[in-house]
Every structure is written in structure tokens, then in C-alpha cells.
Amino acid sequence: MADWTLPFTARYRYMRVSRTTGLECERLTNIVRGGSITRKLGTDVFEGASLEYRGSFDIGTDLIRVYLDATFEDGSNESCALGTFIVNSPQRKVGGGEDGGSLVLDGRLQELADTDFLEGFSLPAGTNAVEAACDIVADCGLRVQYDPCDYLLGSTLTFGLGDSGGDAKNKLEAVNALLALAGYRSCQTDGMGTVLMVRDRSAERRCAKASFIEGKNARFEREVREELDRSSVCNVVKVSYSSQGDTVTGYAYDDDPASPYSIPSLGRERVAKYSFNESGTQEVADSKAAELLATQRSVLRQVAVSHVYQPVSCGDVVCMRYASGAIFGNFEVAEQKISLADGCRATSVLQAYER
């Protein structure tokens, strides 16, 4: 495995991927160096990209896969798939000394967002929520990788009936609704275009996949932007589980006088509300409210850092040790922009919840 703390020369490879077979079938040689890839947690489609090309461009309904081919100063090599995309809107300029254009690319989750159940789609009580989400994705022709789960639906859940259904406007929203019920984060895609479904765990409980460490061999720029967001801090959480006209409500309260945002400290309540279209017991509702309060009563700390590319994506954890900036600890990558130019530079927004 390559040592990504070493300097490397970046080259990019653009491959045409057959929608029919899923195999790479052609190297695209008219893509111009430049462009970028963006990823962000909390957005439906998760990722997108922009590229420039020379001449004409037409690959029909096939996909584009972008690779970084890195050659390190010790002579080692490694290739990383940075993303697999749908060609959304090619634009071409001809004449005036120009012959080429630009490509706007969407992540593969757009395929789930573009389709819906044409009639009511019901999942009976006892259905494994994550396995059902996987089946929906696979039926749309996408590959899936998921953490096994034993969460079963407590009642029938129906999608595709508008306001009377499961609150989902398309299949992507239906998949994410099922994942939320099981305590998973919204789905995202990896570099090969595979849909990932993983449990939602705090950064403190996961191992760091990369490090940003200050020093003469540092791989990040000294100018870092830090922000503490207190706007979403709440001290009361209300959770409602509703199914077939029955509603169970759970509450959790931060009444710790030592907590700076608790009810006694603020002298007032700040309430966050969550609703789930699923049956639940009082114990389940109270437990979910307590779980959500643990995050809601924390301050969101965000750090924006520019750095040389490392093989991490949104949702991964990185360790930052920047003594001069008094920034230490593990952070989750929340947002990322990768420049497909010399050096493969990236800007990442890192986040952590702090009490």
C-alpha cells in the first residue's frame, strides 16, 4: 500500500464504463486536465463533477470513471478511483479558436432520485429495513455494499402513495428513510459507483483513515478556517413514531446544570422534533430521543483545510494535529472538493460535535 505522506506526481485517467456490463470499455483521451469533483454529506445525490474536453463528446448512456494514478518519490505507484458519474449535460463551443466544451456530471445516486414507485410499494412488518433498501437499489441496476443489520420493521410501510405513503418523493428518499429507521446514515457512493450503506456512528468511535500533522512534512496548508456553530444546539428532543393512526412520542431533556446549553443554564427550552413513519414502543421512542439529544446538545465544530489528496471521502474520519492552530482530535470529513489538476489538491471541511 502506498505511503500517502510522500510527495507524488498526479496523472488522471478517464474511462468509459458500459452501463450494460458495468465494465470499463474505453479510455477517453480528449478530457482536458482540470475540472473538479465535489462531495458533501447531507445532500441527496452526494457527489458530482465538472470536466472539460476537446473536440466532440458522445458516450451515449454510458458512465465516466475518473482515476488518480499517483507515482510516489520512492518509485511506488497507486491508482485510486475518484468517482463514477453520469454525463448530465455536455456543452460544446465551436469556432472562435475553440473546439471543445464542458461536462456536468452527477453521481450515480441521481439514478435513484430520478425514479419512483409507479404504484404503491409495501413492505410488511418484520421486513429487514436495510436489506429492503439494498433490494430497491439493486433493482435500479446499481451495486450495493452494506453493513449487516437486524432491524425489522414494526409495521407495514408503504411508498408511492403520495401524502398517504411513506413520505418519499422518489426511490432515493425511500432508501434513505429505511436507512434512517435502522440508525444508518444516508447512502452515498464510492469511487467505483457502488452504493454504500453504513451505520451512523460518531467520529470518536471510529478509527482515523488519514492524518493531518503539522511539521516540515505536513501535507496541508497553514491557513485553516475554523467555525463553531451553536445555532442547532437544543436541550429538548421530541421523537414521534406514527403508524396506521397510532402515535408514540418520546422525549429527552438536557437538565444538567453543568451543561452550558441545558434548560437551567439557558433558562428556556430549545426543542428539536423528529418524526418516523413506523410503529415504535415507548421504550424505543425514549431511547431514540436520548440518542438524538446527545448530538443536538453539542456544538458543531468545523475546520476547512486545503491539502494534498489523501484517499479519504466524506464520512471517513481523519486525525488532525495542528499545534500552532490549537486544533487537535478526530474529525469526520463532511465536504470535499478535489481539483483534477497538477498535484491533486483538495479542500475538505472536517466536523466534530463537542460538548
Side-chain angles (χ1 to χ4, degrees):
M1 183 174 290
D3 182 357
W4 288 91
T5 65
L6 297 176
F8 62 86
T9 299
R11 296 180 177 85
Y12 304 96
R13 182 162 38 98
Y14 305 91
M15 302 299 297
R16 179 175 180 173
V17 179
S18 168
R19 176 173 290 279
T20 304
T21 66
L23 301 176
E24 296 172 3
C25 55
E26 177 188 5
R27 182 167 183 171
L28 302 172
T29 58
N30 62 335
I31 304 294
V32 180
R33 177 174 287 233
S36 63
I37 293 172
T38 57
R39 306 163 176 159
K40 187 174 182 180
L41 293 180
T43 55
D44 289 342
V45 181
F46 174 65
E47 65 178 346
S50 61
L51 300 175
E52 301 290 325
Y53 66 92
R54 293 193 183 95
S56 60
F57 188 91
D58 184 5
I59 60 171
T61 61
D62 288 344
L63 311 168
I64 294 179
R65 181 168 295 146
V66 182
Y67 282 97
L68 164 65
D69 294 327
T71 301
F72 295 84
E73 64 175 10
D74 64 357
S76 61
N77 299 278
E78 185 153 331
S79 294
C80 292
L82 298 179
T84 302
F85 302 97
I86 308 162
V87 180
N88 183 26
S89 56
Q91 300 174 357
R92 189 179 177 206
K93 299 177 183 177
V94 181
E98 295 184 86
D99 185 9
S102 58
L103 302 173
V104 177
L105 310 179
D106 290 327
R108 295 210 68 186
L109 292 181
Q110 186 63 51
E111 297 178 46
L112 294 174
D114 285 342
T115 187
D116 196 2
F117 306 102
L118 298 182
E119 55 187 23
F121 175 76
S122 294
L123 297 169
T127 299
N128 185 295
V130 174
E131 290 179 3
C134 290
D135 289 342
I136 294 171
V137 173
D139 286 345
C140 291
L142 282 75
R143 291 174 296 178
V144 188
Q145 181 178 322
Y146 68 100
D147 291 342
C149 172
D150 57 6
Y151 179 83
L152 306 180
L153 296 180
S155 60
T156 299
L157 183 61
T158 301
F159 298 105
L161 296 180
D163 293 337
S164 61
D167 255 357
K169 299 182 180 68
N170 52 54
K171 289 187 178 180
L172 178 58
E173 288 194 7
V175 166
N176 285 334
L178 289 165
L179 295 179
L181 287 172
Y184 281 45
R185 66 170 68 243
S186 295
C187 60
Q188 59 189 71
T189 39
D190 67 7
M192 301 296 287
T194 300
V195 178
L196 306 178
M197 301 180 182
V198 298
R199 292 186 182 87
D200 194 4
R201 296 182 297 162
S202 66
E204 291 77 10
R205 295 166 55 195
R206 289 181 282 153
C207 296
K209 293 186 65 174
S211 297
F212 296 125
I213 301 175
E214 184 179 19
K216 66 176 183 179
N217 296 320
R219 307 292 281 159
F220 68 94
E221 293 184 359
R222 294 183 59 84
E223 186 175 338
V224 172
R225 188 182 75 250
E226 183 181 32
E227 178 181 351
L228 294 177
D229 183 4
R230 300 177 175 86
S231 62
S232 60
V233 176
C234 294
N235 50 31
V236 179
V237 170
K238 175 183 177 181
V239 171
S240 298
Y241 284 83
S242 300
S243 176
Q244 299 177 347
D246 296 327
T247 300
V248 176
T249 303
Y251 295 90
Y253 300 88
D254 183 1
D255 51 12
D256 180 3
S259 171
Y261 304 104
S262 67
I263 298 171
S265 296
L266 285 183
R268 61 189 178 95
E269 293 184 352
R270 297 181 68 178
V271 181
K273 300 178 183 179
Y274 298 87
S275 298
F276 298 95
N277 291 307
E278 160 74 336
S279 64
T281 65
Q282 189 64 55
E283 181 182 3
V284 168
D286 289 339
S287 175
K288 189 65 173 179
E291 174 190 329
L292 292 169
L293 179 64
T295 297
Q296 289 291 340
R297 62 182 178 179
S298 299
V299 176
L300 177 61
R301 185 186 192 190
Q302 291 189 320
V303 176
V305 56
S306 297
H307 59 93
V308 177
Y309 175 81
Q310 294 214 42
V312 294
S313 185
C314 292
D316 289 332
V317 172
V318 299
C319 173
M320 189 162 194
R321 293 188 227 160
Y322 186 16
S324 299
I327 300 174
F328 300 91
N330 283 2
F331 295 81
E332 181 180 56
V333 181
E335 189 174 345
Q336 201 168 54
K337 182 173 183 179
I338 301 170
S339 173
L340 303 175
D342 294 338
C344 196
R345 301 175 67 81
T347 299
S348 295
V349 177
L350 314 179
Q351 68 179 23
Y353 288 94
E354 301 181 351
R355 289 293 305 275

